[in-house]
């Protein structure tokens, strides 16, 4: 089992459009073989001192995959290629952090 934290910094004024495109893609991703979870999230102001900042233009997808092979197939899928095309220009940057239970 692996988990992915996929973080996108969104261009100013583009977050709602990005989320609209992302949410339309979620059912396609969840239907993929090996997908355990795929949940879009935005920062929440918890008021906790350990939370250093609330990033208003950041979207983080928390993903769970049965294996690295499933994640690789996901990244190469046609609907993810289409997603990347649709959000082109809406993101400043994106990063992936892949983790596994210790």
């Amino acid at each position: 089992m692996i988990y992915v934290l996929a973080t996108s910094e969104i261009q100013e004024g583009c977050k709602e459009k990005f989320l609209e495109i992302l949410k339309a893609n979620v059912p396609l991703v969840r239907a993929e073989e090996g997908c355990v979870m795929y949940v879009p999230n935005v920062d929440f102001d918890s008021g906790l001192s350990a939370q250093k900042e609330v990033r208003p233009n950041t979207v983080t997808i928390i993903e769970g995959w049965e294996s690295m092979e499933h994640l690789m197939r996901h990244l190469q899928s046609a609907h993810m290629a289409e997603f990347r095309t649709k959000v082109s220009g809406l993101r400043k940057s994106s990063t992936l952090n892949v983790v596994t239970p210790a």
Side-chain angles (χ1 to χ4, degrees):
M1 172 69 106
I2 60 169
Y3 295 96
V4 178
L5 302 174
T7 304
S8 293
E9 183 181 359
I10 310 304
Q11 298 282 359
E12 189 71 37
C14 295
K15 186 168 85 171
E16 292 310 315
K17 182 65 175 172
F18 180 85
L19 286 170
E20 176 186 319
I21 295 167
L22 174 59
K23 288 178 181 180
N25 196 47
V26 167
L28 299 172
V29 175
R30 288 188 179 157
E32 289 181 52
E33 182 181 340
C35 182
V36 176
M37 63 184 286
Y38 191 85
V39 183
N41 297 271
V42 294
D43 283 15
F44 172 76
D45 189 356
S46 67
L48 298 171
S49 61
Q51 184 177 11
K52 300 299 180 199
E53 65 179 315
V54 176
R55 304 161 301 173
N57 291 315
T58 298
V59 175
T60 303
I61 306 166
I62 301 174
E63 308 176 32
W65 296 93
E66 290 180 12
S67 70
M68 190 64 201
E69 291 76 22
H70 289 103
L71 173 60
M72 293 305 295
R73 277 186 257 154
H74 159 70
L75 294 172
Q76 296 168 2
S77 69
H79 59 267
M80 287 308 296
E82 183 178 341
F83 170 78
R84 286 188 290 274
T85 298
K86 287 180 177 180
V87 300
S88 176
L90 301 179
R91 292 191 280 200
K92 286 183 182 179
S93 65
S94 61
T95 61
L96 291 180
N97 188 23
V98 181
V99 299
T100 192

